[in-house]
Amino acid sequence: MRRLETAGYANVGKTNLHEFAYGITSENAHFGTVPNPIAPGRIAGGSSGGSAAALAAGLADAALGSDSGGSIRIPAACCGVVGFKPTFDLVPTDGCFPLAPSFDHVGPMARTVDECERMLTALVPGFTPLELEELGDVRIGTTWIEEADPLVAARVREASERFPRRVSAELGTTAKEIRDTVSDLFQSEVADIHRALYDEHADLYSAEVAAKIEQCLAVTRDQVANAAEVRNAYRSETLERLADVDLLLCPTMAFVAPPTGIGDLELRARAIKLTFPFNALGWPALALPCGPAEDGLPASVQLVGKPGEDALVLAAGKVLASLVRGTPGAS
């Protein structure tokens, strides 16, 4: 935040979010549910739901979010704005209460890709945006589009067609397998953060977050060791499989913002299915709206780059946003 203020940004307030940043609905038992300005009665997404809602409502021009399994990109998808999860550790997490430290990212959220890029320039000394004429002939690998609901899939497929050089990307491990296996490592890190706090203050946790903490505390050492091994193999395998691909393109979420009241425990697994893999990898990932889908609500497309290719992801995102019509986040 200090870096943004030094660059001329003004802090206009603190927004609500999911308790301990551990959830995808921003239905907070202590401070209330974050409303979705573009879809009353629908979740704003989480955990950074308040940031996305403030942007969608015009209360702020830029916002910060944290992302451990999709917590920048899911709210961006639900509220029809733009969210960018940078390469792991590009933006320091100093001052943030951790969730799962080796999965935690901090990044910009805004109504346009251009503003996210400007924010990242302020957040990361030495970061240099890529000029559009330097973008070149980018090779786009598409994946997991069939995982999405019909109209979300259609909008993402149309977005992919904006790029002339696109190929199907075979990632080997499925999104579900990554989430189900590597999540043991994620949960063990959550347990380490909350173990003492939960032991002393369990009664202050909401029932929903407490249930997840209990699951985290039950993860065994063998499960953690296996998950760490799978994660390392996934990182190596994915780099090898994508050697001839510059960027990946896939849905951010498989569905549009669901109604409030369903609950994080019911929605979580499917909501993070297509975002969590890139936390496991630590790769940069940009979410931006790409047109109306089910119930007239925005679909969101995810552009993903290899580690350190943040400038390429944002440059390609600006091109895509300029080509997509009728979406709230188009530049």
Side-chain angles (χ1 to χ4, degrees):
M1 179 60 73
R2 286 194 295 270
R3 290 178 180 177
L4 290 175
E5 290 175 337
T6 300
Y9 289 84
N11 187 351
V12 298
K14 168 73 173 67
T15 56
N16 194 5
L17 72 161
H18 208 101
E19 181 182 355
F20 284 111
Y22 195 9
I24 58 89
T25 67
S26 292
E27 294 170 299
N28 189 308
H30 308 288
F31 298 102
T33 296
V34 176
N36 187 329
I38 70 166
R42 303 291 182 120
I43 66 168
S47 63
S48 304
S51 291
L55 292 166
L59 300 176
D61 297 317
L64 280 174
S66 65
D67 192 315
S68 305
S71 290
I72 286 173
R73 291 159 290 157
I74 291 169
C78 289
C79 293
V81 297
V82 179
F84 181 59
K85 180 189 79 66
T87 296
F88 178 74
D89 207 30
L90 183 65
V91 178
T93 58
D94 300 349
C96 298
F97 188 86
L99 179 59
S102 77
F103 295 83
D104 293 350
H105 300 66
V106 171
M109 303 174 71
R111 285 187 292 275
T112 67
V113 182
D114 299 82
E115 186 58 48
C116 283
E117 185 179 69
R118 279 191 288 272
M119 288 180 71
L120 195 67
T121 302
L123 288 166
V124 181
F127 173 76
T128 303
L130 187 67
E131 298 296 331
L132 295 185
E133 55 268 23
E134 299 177 272
L135 190 56
D137 197 4
V138 179
R139 299 161 297 177
I140 300 290
T142 59
T143 190
W144 298 336
I145 296 178
E146 69 284 354
E147 302 275 359
D149 289 351
L151 292 181
V152 171
R155 298 294 86 79
V156 173
R157 196 170 287 111
E158 289 166 4
S160 74
E161 292 168 358
R162 306 290 184 177
F163 293 98
R165 293 188 67 189
R166 60 187 187 280
V167 296
S168 177
E170 296 296 333
L171 296 184
T173 312
T174 68
K176 182 178 184 301
E177 287 171 334
I178 297 161
R179 186 201 68 212
D180 290 350
T181 307
V182 181
S183 63
D184 286 336
L185 180 59
F186 178 97
Q187 288 182 310
S188 75
E189 294 186 13
V190 175
D192 289 341
I193 296 299
H194 283 269
R195 199 178 310 275
L197 189 64
Y198 185 73
D199 185 57
E200 186 174 355
H201 298 291
D203 58 316
L204 299 180
Y205 285 67
S206 70
E208 173 246 297
V209 173
K212 288 186 288 191
I213 298 296
E214 294 280 0
Q215 292 174 357
C216 293
L217 292 170
V219 175
T220 67
R221 289 183 180 179
D222 286 346
Q223 288 174 305
V224 173
N226 179 63
E229 186 176 326
V230 169
R231 184 193 205 182
N232 288 335
Y234 170 53
R235 285 172 165 169
S236 300
E237 176 186 311
T238 306
L239 277 173
E240 183 178 335
R241 284 179 175 272
L242 298 181
D244 296 325
V245 173
D246 296 308
L247 295 171
L248 275 179
L249 183 149
C250 67
T252 305
M253 283 206 311
F255 47 88
V256 298
T260 57
I262 298 172
D264 180 82
L265 295 175
E266 178 69 24
L267 292 170
R268 180 175 179 79
R270 192 173 182 227
I272 69 170
K273 183 178 181 181
L274 307 180
T275 53
F276 179 77
F278 305 115
N279 292 84
L281 287 170
W283 291 16
L286 174 73
L288 66 155
C290 59
E294 279 75 13
D295 301 320
L297 298 177
S300 179
V301 63
Q302 190 172 201
L303 280 174
V304 182
K306 295 170 187 173
E309 294 289 357
D310 300 75
L312 175 61
V313 173
L314 288 165
K318 287 193 293 183
V319 170
L320 182 56
S322 71
L323 295 171
V324 175
R325 297 289 179 248
T327 58
S331 297

